[in-house]
Amino acid sequence: MLKRYLDDAACTLWKDLFSNTCRVVVTGHLGPDGDAMGSSLALAFWLKSCGCQVSVVMPNLYPDFLSWLPGADEVINAQMDSSRAATLISQADVVLCADYGCYGRNESLDAMIANSQAEIVVIDHHLNPDIQARLLISDPSACATAEIVYALLEQLSDSSHPISYDMSVCIYCGMMTDTGGFTYNSSRPEIFYIISRLLEKGIDKDRIYRNVYYNNTVERMRLMGYILNNNMVYLPEYHTAYYTLNSQEMKKYLFKKGDAEGWVNLPLEIKDTRLSISLREDTDTHSIRLSLRSVDDFPCNRMAAEFFNGGGHLNAAGGTLYCSMEEAVIKVREAIAAYESLLTSSLVTGDGKENTR
Ligand code: 5GP
Ligand code: MN
């Protein structure tokens, strides 16, 4: 049912690389999300169970709503604890890059990894990985890196060395968060095969959902309402919505890192919306971070690369503009107008039949 990501040669290489007592650093991408964290932690649990000495190092802080994940309390934040991260990476036999395949979004960790003598293993589902890895496991058709991790562990596990409950929780969290709770990019039967196997491991998927998504503060809930009411611009002629979030608003509503996670999906709940864009001021870097989400075949990654110095997936992409919010909004309006034909071409209705409205 599932892909075998390791052929015989790769399987031998995996076993050589991750031999007993080898020192492994598992890393995720900047702004660790549920998939970066879930995949990294699941792999860390697995490698520990194989006898490896494993540390998980993230380039910066993970959001609060992931702190319940098994093993999250031992994750090292390279921004806060850079000397410890540098030491671990310089002494590592293997650095495993989970949920990213390119340098460039990983700040100081990039240099630490590039300068290290460690073998590099990449496990990722983003397009076009370019890190020079000894072993590259890349599958852009996977809904999450955690899906690849599950298939990999199923291939490597046996009855004396099973996939554990903690690994299962982490894998489910990765798959759930990268698909918006299985609402997009999640219609392949393999995904539900994996979920059924994880349920057999005893995971409580409803609790995992609540841990991640029912984790609001009152202020976050009010800010969400404020944005939808005051800042969201809906352009019916383009089936598109965008909204802004500036630093004064964040301050007023006690905004914390990660608080805006997932909100860009909300405008897609408006009937027939194809594209949603959020613009968020980042005072640290004097920039505007953009997130794009779409449905069907609208290419967020193309728009992000063309207009916002970014990239990503077909239905989820991001980018950064180094300008004022006002200028960023003008750029967003330009991008939307440039993609008019894709945004207004005939719609596909829920039953898959074409709607030529
Ligand atoms: P988010 O909107 O959650 O920040 O990002 C959505 C997706 O787009 C993620 O899978 C992420 O990897 C990708 N992405 C976000 N920002 C960038 C960027 O600046 N460059 C590239 N290449 N991908 C990005
Ligand atoms: Mn991912």
Side-chain angles (χ1 to χ4, degrees):
M1 175 83 186
L2 298 182
K3 281 187 192 162
R4 287 175 67 81
Y5 284 105
L6 302 175
D7 61 17
D8 290 347
C11 211
T12 306
L13 177 59
W14 176 280
K15 284 174 185 161
D16 285 349
L17 287 170
F18 297 110
S19 60
N20 209 356
T21 72
C22 101
R23 288 161 300 184
V24 184
V25 174
V26 184
T27 64
H29 56 72
L30 189 69
D33 59 10
D35 190 28
M37 285 285 285
S39 299
S40 297
L41 290 168
L43 286 162
F45 281 122
W46 173 263
L47 293 168
K48 277 180 195 168
S49 78
C50 299
C52 304
Q53 299 170 45
V54 189
S55 311
V56 179
V57 176
M58 291 292 157
N60 62 350
L61 191 64
Y62 60 77
D64 249 7
F65 65 82
L66 296 172
S67 60
W68 61 274
L69 274 169
D73 50 345
E74 287 178 25
V75 170
I76 296 155
N77 172 348
Q79 216 167 43
M80 296 281 291
D81 208 348
S82 66
S83 63
R84 188 156 167 230
T87 304
L88 285 166
I89 289 169
S90 70
Q91 293 173 350
D93 300 305
V94 184
V95 170
L96 203 165
C97 306
D99 201 34
Y100 70 99
C102 298
Y103 292 130
R105 295 194 61 221
N106 221 359
E107 286 191 340
S108 57
L109 265 194
D110 286 353
M112 295 180 200
I113 296 170
N115 293 332
S116 145
Q117 299 299 307
E119 301 280 12
I120 295 179
V121 174
V122 170
I123 303 179
D124 187 30
H125 71 134
H126 296 95
L127 290 169
N128 309 323
D130 64 9
I131 293 176
Q132 290 297 313
R134 181 76 193 283
L135 177 61
L136 169 67
I137 303 171
S138 160
D139 182 4
S141 75
C143 73
T145 298
E147 180 187 342
I148 305 175
V149 171
Y150 180 84
L152 200 59
L153 298 193
E154 190 173 272
Q155 184 182 348
L156 293 166
S157 65
D158 54 39
S159 54
S160 60
H161 197 191
I163 297 174
S164 70
Y165 170 81
D166 282 346
M167 294 171 208
S168 302
V169 168
C170 295
I171 289 169
Y172 187 83
C173 176
M175 290 173 62
M176 181 189 79
T177 50
D178 258 23
T179 58
F182 303 103
T183 60
Y184 48 79
N185 196 21
S186 55
S187 289
R188 291 168 29 255
E190 293 86 341
I191 294 171
F192 290 83
Y193 165 81
I194 294 173
I195 295 171
S196 75
R197 301 306 304 263
L198 297 174
L199 290 167
E200 284 166 7
K201 298 283 178 191
I203 66 160
D204 181 341
K205 72 172 199 46
D206 304 341
R207 180 176 290 275
I208 295 172
Y209 188 96
R210 288 200 303 277
N211 285 346
V212 170
Y213 295 115
Y214 293 2
N215 198 9
N216 284 320
T217 57
V218 175
E219 292 79 15
R220 182 179 188 263
M221 208 70 184
R222 292 202 192 285
L223 178 57
M224 186 170 79
Y226 170 87
I227 287 171
L228 293 178
N229 201 24
N230 297 284
N231 295 7
M232 185 181 75
V233 176
Y234 190 66
L235 305 170
E237 67 279 27
Y238 292 109
H239 307 287
T240 294
Y242 68 87
Y243 67 81
T244 57
L245 176 57
N246 67 33
S247 55
Q248 287 104 311
E249 291 160 338
M250 290 186 222
K251 207 161 156 195
K252 179 169 173 202
Y253 287 93
L254 311 176
F255 184 88
K256 289 196 308 303
K257 201 176 155 37
D259 270 359
E261 182 80 25
W263 288 353
V264 64
N265 292 300
L266 291 170
L268 294 178
E269 293 180 23
I270 301 167
K271 189 167 160 49
D272 290 340
T273 302
R274 286 184 161 184
L275 174 65
S276 169
I277 303 178
S278 70
L279 300 92
R280 184 165 48 83
E281 190 176 349
D282 184 341
T283 43
D284 289 347
T285 55
H286 304 290
S287 64
I288 308 294
R289 271 293 302 165
L290 292 102
S291 282
L292 289 78
R293 298 292 186 272
S294 69
V295 296
D296 296 333
D297 53 5
F298 183 85
C300 290
N301 46 4
R302 252 177 63 197
M303 181 184 262
E306 203 175 321
F307 284 90
F308 310 130
N309 312 305
H313 309 274
L314 186 75
N315 293 133
T320 308
L321 290 174
Y322 293 90
C323 60
S324 69
M325 185 62 91
E326 291 71 27
E327 289 163 327
V329 166
I330 291 169
K331 192 87 179 163
V332 163
R333 299 288 294 232
E334 233 177 78
I336 295 167
Y339 277 77
E340 177 177 11
S341 61
L342 279 178
L343 289 167
T344 57
S345 58
S346 55
L347 291 171
V348 174
T349 57
D351 58 6
K353 295 199 185 93
E354 205 160 276
N355 175 354
T356 47
R357 235 169 346 102

